[in-house]
Amino acid sequence: MKKFLFLCACLMLPFVITQTSLKVHAEEDIIRKNLITITNEVEVKKGATNNYPTVFTMKKGTRVYVRDTFVGSDERKWVSVVTNGYKSGWALLEKFEVPSPEAGRKAFITDQIEIRKGAHGGYEPVATLQKGMMVTQVDTFMTFSGQLWHKVDTGRKQGWLESQYFQNYVDYYGEGTIIGKNGVVRKGASIDYSVKASLSQGTEVNTFVKFLNSRGEIWYNVQTPQGIYGWIKSSEISVRLY
């Protein structure tokens, strides 16, 4: 009888090991990829169960890099993630989805920088962008260490650059009319930048993109009748969409 039980145990062992392996790696196809949160207040735990303490929470729309996956005894699926800013922990997979490519938005280059063949400093450069250039965003990727990279299109080349050299803008084309006594066009989207032109009330300009700065102010990138490009605060202009 003992020999029979021992033989059964030996036969069952590979099955148990296989099932455990399948559970642990059930979602391994998303490892080394990005996910994005679909709800607010997503709790990130110290370990892959709700019994572990919460180390931080994430808002809806937070992009993360997936380092590992795990399926608990209750069949709930967990992912080990890192965020931009190097925060890491475990969260329930049901709180995430695969992000869509962030294509079509305009980007403002904040400093001279090389764009690279891949989303890492070790990839070879494919082009050099100058400060102040406008490029089109093609995609976004977060790395294992939590670095955020953007893929951009210059019209001639495509390449990747770190987010610190990049600011997002929303496509926005139309005609604008100065509504204040003086519309002040500045070098950048903040009153901290120097003045490039002063426009009288009623002056019409071409508008290209709308930008929300760190102070919560909306600014428009415009071209004056004299061909000067710059930024004007939304309270000084009325924009008519095409």
Side-chain angles (χ1 to χ4, degrees):
M1 184 66 178
K2 289 183 178 179
K3 289 183 178 180
F4 175 75
L5 292 175
F6 178 76
L7 179 61
C8 289
C10 290
L11 291 172
M12 287 294 293
L13 185 60
F15 176 77
V16 172
I17 293 173
T18 301
Q19 291 302 306
T20 302
S21 177
L22 287 173
K23 287 178 67 176
V24 172
H25 301 290
E27 301 292 336
E28 64 181 5
D29 58 315
I30 61 173
I31 296 175
R32 296 184 293 278
K33 295 181 181 177
N34 285 181
L35 294 178
I36 193 166
T37 53
I38 56 175
T39 63
N40 282 317
E41 301 302 315
V42 176
E43 291 185 282
V44 180
K45 302 282 187 177
K46 195 171 183 179
T49 74
N50 277 317
N51 296 326
Y52 283 95
T54 300
V55 288
F56 64 97
T57 60
M58 296 183 293
K59 296 180 180 179
K60 184 178 181 180
T62 303
R63 179 182 290 266
V64 300
Y65 180 92
V66 180
R67 290 175 165 177
D68 204 354
T69 64
F70 181 78
V71 181
S73 57
D74 58 358
E75 301 298 327
R76 300 189 82 180
K77 299 171 183 177
W78 293 77
V79 283
S80 172
V81 300
V82 62
T83 70
N84 187 24
Y86 312 107
K87 292 182 178 180
S88 61
W90 289 85
L92 285 167
L93 178 59
E94 65 199 50
K95 303 290 186 179
F96 299 89
E97 66 180 9
V98 177
S100 301
E102 298 180 13
R105 293 196 295 178
K106 298 297 179 183
F108 180 77
I109 303 305
T110 60
D111 203 352
Q112 180 175 305
I113 181 67
E114 292 177 325
I115 55 174
R116 299 184 178 275
K117 196 171 183 179
H120 187 275
Y123 284 97
E124 62 179 302
V126 295
T128 300
L129 306 185
Q130 301 300 319
K131 181 178 180 180
M133 280 184 65
M134 280 286 189
V135 296
T136 302
Q137 183 179 356
V138 177
D139 206 354
T140 297
F141 183 75
M142 184 174 293
T143 68
F144 179 89
S145 60
Q147 291 178 315
L148 195 63
W149 286 70
H150 299 288
K151 189 176 186 180
V152 298
D153 189 334
T154 68
R156 295 184 177 181
K157 295 280 188 179
Q158 288 191 0
W160 293 85
L161 76 161
E162 285 188 74
S163 60
Q164 66 188 42
Y165 299 103
F166 174 100
Q167 290 186 19
N168 283 331
Y169 291 79
V170 179
D171 285 343
Y172 204 91
Y173 300 91
E175 292 181 347
T177 304
I178 304 303
I179 57 176
K181 290 184 178 179
N182 285 298
V184 180
V185 179
R186 296 182 180 272
K187 192 173 183 180
S190 161
I191 59 172
D192 298 324
Y193 287 93
S194 59
V195 175
K196 296 187 71 175
S198 183
L199 306 176
S200 59
Q201 188 175 21
T203 302
E204 293 189 349
V205 296
N206 293 318
T207 65
F208 297 99
V209 289
K210 182 171 70 172
F211 175 62
L212 181 69
N213 68 16
S214 59
R215 295 172 180 167
E217 301 168 335
I218 295 174
W219 289 70
Y220 290 101
N221 182 242
V222 301
Q223 180 190 32
T224 73
Q226 294 76 33
I228 298 172
Y229 286 88
W231 294 89
I232 189 168
K233 200 172 182 180
S234 62
S235 59
E236 300 176 358
I237 187 173
S238 173
V239 176
R240 182 172 67 256
L241 291 174
Y242 287 136

